[in-house]
Amino acid sequence: MDLAFLHPLYEHSGPWASVYVDTSRHTENTPHERHLTAAAMARELARQGADDATCRAVEQAIEGLSHSSEPRGRALFARAGEVVLDPALAARPPQGDHAQWAPLPRVAPLLELAEQDPVCVVAYIDRKGADFELRTPLAREKVDTVSGRQYPVHRTSTADWSERHFQLKVENTWEHNAAEIADALSVCQEETRADLLVLVGDDRERRAVHERLPQRLQDRVAEMGHGAGSRLLDKEVEAARAEHVRGRAEAELERFLAARTPDEAGHAGAVEGVPALVEAAREHRIDELLIRLDGPDAHREVWIGEDPDQLAVRRTELKTLGEQHSWAARADDALIRSAVATDANVLVVPPEAPEEAPVGGLGALLRWK
């Protein structure tokens, strides 16, 4: 999961108000119920020590949802009298409406509740070019059109020499257009940071483009057996996304299990457990953080400083490192902050995975051994 959208939460120091609101009920009394929820969340934050300005900002933000038709929920993160981030949720908060005032924003629940469907570029391909459509969990938009060579693009059925020469030109046109589409699709993926590329069109055109995509994108491609000019239904894109997420999770978990075995020199490419993860985070070595949300290490207490790489298992360690100010925080939220700051990915380990992967529920693939 790409957590770049969380960057605004770590551009300022805390403490932070983290509020999760269930918006799944919609009745004629909804405005009044949201008003009561807003007041209750503000009171709860005040009870925990939040400042008046932040309590008012959260209360007003929830009041603003009085006439919202959001089907599931909303998270709100606020500090110093301002709501900094308010992502929509893809699932109802299992704990219902709840609020927390803490040194770090309580973001770990977002790994399960936020929209996790990967950003997807759908390429509708034919022999003359392609249309690219960007699909996110909340919207779709046409982002590019590729127009290749327009002539010749159709074969003939005769065996005459001149016709065979013509057919060779057709083959060259197809190959040229496929290369142009693949180049444009590669650029589009970089610009949109798309996790998945869905190729739609006839078999030959799809394969021709797929084969010409760079190696780094080969595991991000899904093909759909629709004829040229067809448009994918939402459920088909959702199915492709879900399959991509499942396959990636399985592959990354296998990679983690293999990497945690030390090599001949005694170095491992993966670590697990809070002490080893804290050390890796301080050294900016985490490439991908693995979290089992119900793991016992997730809520273990660690100590943090003002910067993301200032964290330790014991408070005295931070003083040794020269950090004068420190606060207690949950291990999962502290490690997520470090991962976001160093542009590392985060993978939620599915419940059906073996319990020992990773041990304690927290692990990481490393950038170097």
Side-chain angles (χ1 to χ4, degrees), residues 255-292:
R255 191 160 73 95
F256 171 81
L257 293 173
R260 67 182 182 178
T261 301
D263 58 20
E264 294 180 356
H267 303 300
V271 295
E272 52 198 343
V274 172
L277 286 165
V278 164
E279 182 180 356
R282 283 204 299 255
E283 297 173 352
H284 298 184
R285 295 174 61 208
I286 294 178
D287 186 51
E288 183 167 51
L289 181 66
L290 282 72
I291 296 182
R292 186 188 291 274

Side-chain angles (χ1 to χ4, degrees), residues 19-27 29-31 33-35 37-38 41 58 61-76 86-98 113 115:
V19 182
Y20 289 82
V21 180
D22 186 343
T23 62
S24 61
R25 284 174 50 84
H26 300 283
T27 68
N29 294 324
T30 293
E33 292 173 354
R34 298 278 162 80
H35 171 75
T37 299
M41 294 298 97
V58 168
I62 298 175
E63 290 272 13
L65 299 175
S66 294
H67 300 285
S68 170
S69 60
E70 289 185 5
R72 299 175 184 89
R74 180 73 69 94
L76 302 148
D86 60 343
L89 303 180
R92 297 172 57 187
Q95 300 177 24
D97 304 324
H98 62 282
L113 300 177
E115 293 284 5

Side-chain angles (χ1 to χ4, degrees), residues 2-306:
D2 185 354
L3 298 183
F5 74 100
L6 294 180
H7 272 292
L9 299 184
Y10 304 114
E11 294 173 355
H12 307 282
S13 59
W16 285 85
S18 303
V19 182
Y20 289 82
V21 180
D22 186 343
T23 62
S24 61
R25 284 174 50 84
H26 300 283
T27 68
E28 60 183 13
N29 294 324
T30 293
H32 178 63
E33 292 173 354
R34 298 278 162 80
H35 171 75
L36 295 178
T37 299
M41 294 298 97
R43 285 196 304 271
E44 177 58 22
L45 289 171
R47 185 189 69 79
Q48 296 181 36
D51 60 277
D52 291 342
T54 299
C55 292
R56 285 195 301 271
V58 168
E59 185 171 10
Q60 291 170 3
I62 298 175
E63 290 272 13
L65 299 175
S66 294
H67 300 285
S68 170
S69 60
E70 289 185 5
R72 299 175 184 89
R74 180 73 69 94
L76 302 148
F77 301 97
R79 63 170 295 279
E82 178 188 7
V83 174
V84 177
L85 194 67
D86 60 343
L89 303 180
R92 297 172 57 187
Q95 300 177 24
D97 304 324
H98 62 282
Q100 181 175 329
W101 180 248
L104 287 180
R106 180 77 183 105
V107 297
L110 278 178
L111 302 182
E112 186 173 33
L113 300 177
E115 293 284 5
Q116 296 188 52
D117 285 343
V119 173
C120 171
V121 171
V122 182
Y124 298 100
I125 302 166
D126 61 28
R127 297 174 183 177
K128 296 181 179 180
D131 291 329
F132 298 163
E133 181 181 74
L134 179 66
R135 296 209 187 187
T136 70
L138 301 178
R140 67 169 71 180
E141 61 176 310
K142 184 176 180 180
V143 290
D144 200 3
T145 295
V146 181
S147 296
R149 293 176 180 171
Q150 303 298 299
Y151 178 85
V153 294
H154 295 288
R155 290 182 172 185
T156 64
S157 58
T158 68
D160 181 82
W161 179 90
S162 62
E163 295 300 343
R164 289 199 302 273
H165 181 67
F166 179 84
Q167 289 174 10
L168 181 59
K169 289 186 177 181
V170 170
E171 294 284 349
N172 291 339
T173 299
W174 287 0
E175 292 179 3
H176 175 273
N177 290 353
E180 281 201 2
I181 294 168
D183 288 345
L185 189 54
S186 178
V187 172
C188 184
Q189 186 278 329
E190 289 184 8
E191 293 176 346
T192 61
R193 297 173 65 103
D195 303 284
L196 179 63
L197 305 176
V198 179
L199 309 184
V200 183
D202 289 337
D203 290 346
R204 177 160 186 162
E205 284 71 47
R206 291 199 321 267
R207 286 197 304 271
V209 172
H210 194 164
E211 291 169 356
R212 287 165 174 78
L213 287 170
Q215 186 60 40
R216 66 179 181 83
L217 297 180
Q218 290 298 320
D219 62 350
R220 295 175 182 255
V221 178
E223 294 190 30
M224 293 290 179
H226 291 251
S230 64
R231 289 296 183 262
L232 288 185
L233 300 175
D234 289 340
K235 65 179 182 181
E236 293 174 301
V237 174
E238 290 171 7
R241 282 173 168 161
E243 180 60 31
H244 176 75
V245 170
R246 280 194 300 271
R248 182 180 179 277
E250 292 173 359
E252 291 302 287
L253 190 55
E254 289 180 6
R255 191 160 73 95
F256 171 81
L257 293 173
R260 67 182 182 178
T261 301
D263 58 20
E264 294 180 356
H267 303 300
V271 295
E272 52 198 343
V274 172
L277 286 165
V278 164
E279 182 180 356
R282 283 204 299 255
E283 297 173 352
H284 298 184
R285 295 174 61 208
I286 294 178
D287 186 51
E288 183 167 51
L289 181 66
L290 282 72
I291 296 182
R292 186 188 291 274
L293 296 175
D294 59 352
D297 280 351
H299 53 76
R300 181 172 168 178
E301 183 180 87
V302 298
W303 290 88
I304 63 166
E306 293 183 357

